Structures are given as C-alpha cells and as structure tokens.
Amino acid sequence: MANERTVPLLPCASIDDIETFYGVLGFRTTYKQRKPNACVGVQREDLHLQFFEIPGFDPEQSYGSCLVLTADIEGLHRAFAAGMRAAYGKVLVSGTPRMTRPRARKNADGLGGFSVIDPGGNWIRVFRDAATAPMPVATPAGRLAKALANAVVQADSRGSVGQAVRILDSALARPQADDDPAEQVEVLVYRAELAVVLRDPKTAAEMLARARSVTLTEDESERAAPAFDNAADLAAAL
C-alpha cells in the first residue's frame, strides 16, 4: 500500500499561540476546535502539523519533536525568517519560540539542518533529505571547524547550550597560528548566538565585535558571508 501520510500530533499550552506563530511562518489553519478537546491543525504546502492543548502545560518541559525532510532547507529557513522579521521585527533566536540557523549536523551524516522551537516547546527539526543530497559531506578538518561541529550537536540538536559554550570557549582560549580565519568568524558568531540564547547580551556583543575584527582574504570573506548574515540578525536581536 502506498500514499500513506503521517501527521505529527504535538502538545502545547495554547492552541491560539500555536495558530498565531505558525501563521507567521506561512502556515494556514486547516482545523480548529475548542470542545471536547482543544486542538488545531496547520499546513504549509505539504507540511502538516497538529497540536492539542494541555491546561498548565510547561513548554520548557516539552519532549515534543518531529522531523521535516526537504530538498531546500535554506529556502524554507529564509521564508520562516522573513515571516518573523515581518511580524516581530527580527528573527527569534532566543527564548520560546525561536529558530536556529541551517548548519551541517555531524550527528546526521553531515547533512544540513535547522530547528524551530515553537510556543509549545516542540522541536520541529528540519533536515535536508538524504535522497536529494547523496554525496557525503566532507568532515570538518580544521581545529575550529571540529569544535564548531561538536558544539552544534550539543546546542542545535540536543538543546545543551551550556555544553556547547564550554566547547567553543575552550577552542577560542587556545588560538593557533594555522587557525582558518573564516572558521574563526563562524565560531565567534555561533558563540554570540549562544550568548543571545542565554540572555547574555554583553558576551554576544563582544563576540560579534571580535568576529568583525578578524582579517580575511577575499576567499575567506566569501566563506564567512553566511556567518556575517547571522551576525546581522544577532545584532538586531540585542
């Protein structure tokens, strides 16, 4: 039998908050009821999600999660980010709800991914569909790139921001002459992002300033461009 479809059913404290947030991301409401059980369904193209309301539910204690596989994680992220900027004036990078940026995931065979943490505390984990990216992604070779890859697993995949901070701070505390400047920028900007998540604007501003002060060649500037795009969003959030 073919053409089956699975729709995640996720918990939340308020279906109204869920409906509003996903509307910002470009979803439309497909179903909503108050009684006998409060629930809402939302859809964006082929992406379907449903939510049920639990009175007194604490989003910080949620284990709700689902995977979204797509050929275009960058396009989906841009669309979500545009919706956030239009609604909130910035991309939400801290608190609940929030969204991470697309990054290669060491714990997903190097495939790119990002996460949306919605008002219910559910992690919507968006990954590049392996069927559309059959070639293996190269393993990070530089010292800083390896530290960044490990930190991304901790913070973006597991939500262990403190452990990710320890990994990056250790790497930044031991600069080496052969460190790749573009990788240095990426690490500094990601460390700034984690500081924003931890509501530490002083450290975030310091890391962004350090990133801007790194001397780059033309090629290094091109490789660091996505990190500087992230830095602009972070600066707006401070």
Side-chain angles (χ1 to χ4, degrees):
M1 184 178 293
N3 300 318
E4 297 91 343
R5 185 176 66 183
T6 299
V7 178
L9 185 59
L10 302 167
C12 67
S14 167
I15 59 172
D16 293 331
D17 290 348
I18 287 289
E19 183 179 33
T20 298
F21 175 71
Y22 280 96
V24 165
L25 301 187
F27 287 72
R28 64 182 179 86
T29 300
T30 57
Y31 180 80
K32 187 177 184 180
Q33 72 172 34
R34 294 288 180 185
K35 295 180 179 180
N37 302 299
C39 61
V40 65
V42 297
Q43 176 183 353
R44 187 184 190 280
E45 298 180 346
D46 292 331
L47 178 51
H48 298 255
L49 298 170
Q50 293 192 14
F51 301 85
F52 60 96
E53 185 176 294
I54 302 176
F57 183 77
D58 181 2
E60 297 300 322
Q61 301 302 316
S62 177
Y63 286 90
S65 184
C66 75
L67 298 179
V68 175
L69 303 180
T70 177
D72 186 13
I73 58 171
E74 293 83 6
L76 193 58
H77 184 274
R78 283 194 300 270
F80 288 174
M84 288 184 177
R85 291 191 186 97
Y88 310 121
K90 61 184 179 181
V91 177
L92 304 181
V93 296
S94 65
T96 302
R98 65 185 183 276
M99 180 171 68
T100 68
R101 291 185 66 88
R103 296 185 179 92
R105 299 292 180 87
K106 175 184 175 182
N107 57 336
D109 296 326
L111 295 174
F114 70 94
S115 296
V116 174
I117 298 86
D118 69 23
N122 302 294
W123 284 63
I124 312 303
R125 303 173 188 272
V126 182
F127 284 96
R128 192 180 309 281
D129 190 340
T132 69
M135 297 299 293
V137 179
T139 302
R143 181 184 71 90
L144 293 176
K146 290 178 180 178
L148 180 63
N150 290 331
V152 167
V153 170
Q154 294 299 326
D156 285 13
S157 292
R158 299 176 180 169
S160 300
V161 178
Q163 180 61 27
V165 164
R166 287 187 283 273
I167 291 170
L168 296 185
D169 284 351
S170 176
L172 290 170
R174 299 179 289 105
Q176 297 182 11
D178 60 348
D179 283 340
D180 184 324
E183 292 177 1
Q184 184 181 3
V185 169
E186 292 175 2
V187 168
L188 287 166
V189 173
Y190 189 48
R191 179 63 180 87
E193 181 177 323
L194 298 182
V196 173
V197 173
L198 294 173
R199 295 181 172 84
D200 182 2
K202 180 179 178 181
T203 298
E206 175 190 341
M207 294 296 164
L208 292 178
R210 287 177 62 181
R212 289 191 294 268
S213 70
V214 176
T215 301
L216 301 169
T217 65
E218 183 176 349
D219 174 70
E220 291 163 349
S221 295
E222 184 175 344
R223 289 193 288 120
F228 283 121
D229 288 343
N230 187 19
D233 283 337
L234 295 173
L238 294 179

